[in-house]
């Protein structure tokens, strides 16, 4: 029995010595797996932020003009329906709230009257855009061309986001570097609108602090 134990000990010693005699001649280079310099920021969209093929088609057909911009926003807001009212009471093709309409001179009007007047709705969209362009003029000048949360900031992206959330929320978003965000009742964010509606030419829109639809 003692001889077996001694023999086993000798065998283990020999095996251990052989294992220790092997050395790694070449170390593995992990530098190719480095994430240094890569943009690792990603925000998973909610269902309301998934790109729509029909919406892309509208943008491609109308181009990056003012008309292309307003129709793309309208398609996102209401599928371009002048007569729609959503569950939160927002009205028409561009889904205006009553408070926003009051700011651009539309007060005391019956809901049905506004919904049945496409010309007024178009004037309202332009007036609101013009007013927001004046309010956000300094932020547009300062931030255009920068990247926030992985999205390039453009004038049209800023103004689309202002249509979604109001100019005050966009100011906070831009001045906080994207930290102070906003999402509407459906979960749509400023970041998404800035990405989705970026790069349109809105030089047609005149900045006007007192812009009114009527």
């Amino acid at each position: 029995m003692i001889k077996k134990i001694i023999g086993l000990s000798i065998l283990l010693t020999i095996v251990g010595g052989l294992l220790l005699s092997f050395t790694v001649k070449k170390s593995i280079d992990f530098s190719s797996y480095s994430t240094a310099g890569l943009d690792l920021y990603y925000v998973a969209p909610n269902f309301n932020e998934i790109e729509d093929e029909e919406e892309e088609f509208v943008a491609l057909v109308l181009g990056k003009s003012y008309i292309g911009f307003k129709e793309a926003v309208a398609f996102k807001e209401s599928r371009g329906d002048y007569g729609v009212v959503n569950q939160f009471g927002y009205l028409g093709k561009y889904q205006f709230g009553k408070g926003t309409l009051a700011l651009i001179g539309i007060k005391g009007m019956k809901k049905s009257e506004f919904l049945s007047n496409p010309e007024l709705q178009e004037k309202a969209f332009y007036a609101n855009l013009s007013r927001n362009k004046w309010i956000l003029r300094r932020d547009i000048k300062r931030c255009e061309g920068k990247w926030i949360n992985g999205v390039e900031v453009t004038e049209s992206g800023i103004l689309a986001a202002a249509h979604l959330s109001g100019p005050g929320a966009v100011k906070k978003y831009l001045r906080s570097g994207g930290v102070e965000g906003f999402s509407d009742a459906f979960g749509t964010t400023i970041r998404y609108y800035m990405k989705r509606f970026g790069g349109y030419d809105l030089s047609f829109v005149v900045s006007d602090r007192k812009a009114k639809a009527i």
Side-chain angles (χ1 to χ4, degrees), residues 96-131:
F96 283 108
K98 291 182 179 179
T100 299
L101 291 176
L103 290 173
I104 53 177
I106 302 175
K107 302 176 182 178
M109 181 177 289
K110 291 182 179 180
K111 185 188 299 183
S112 58
E113 188 178 350
F114 179 75
L115 294 174
S116 62
N117 193 333
E119 183 180 357
L120 180 59
Q121 290 190 39
E122 294 297 338
K123 288 180 179 179
F125 182 77
Y126 179 86
N128 188 53
L129 201 64
S130 178
R131 181 175 179 274

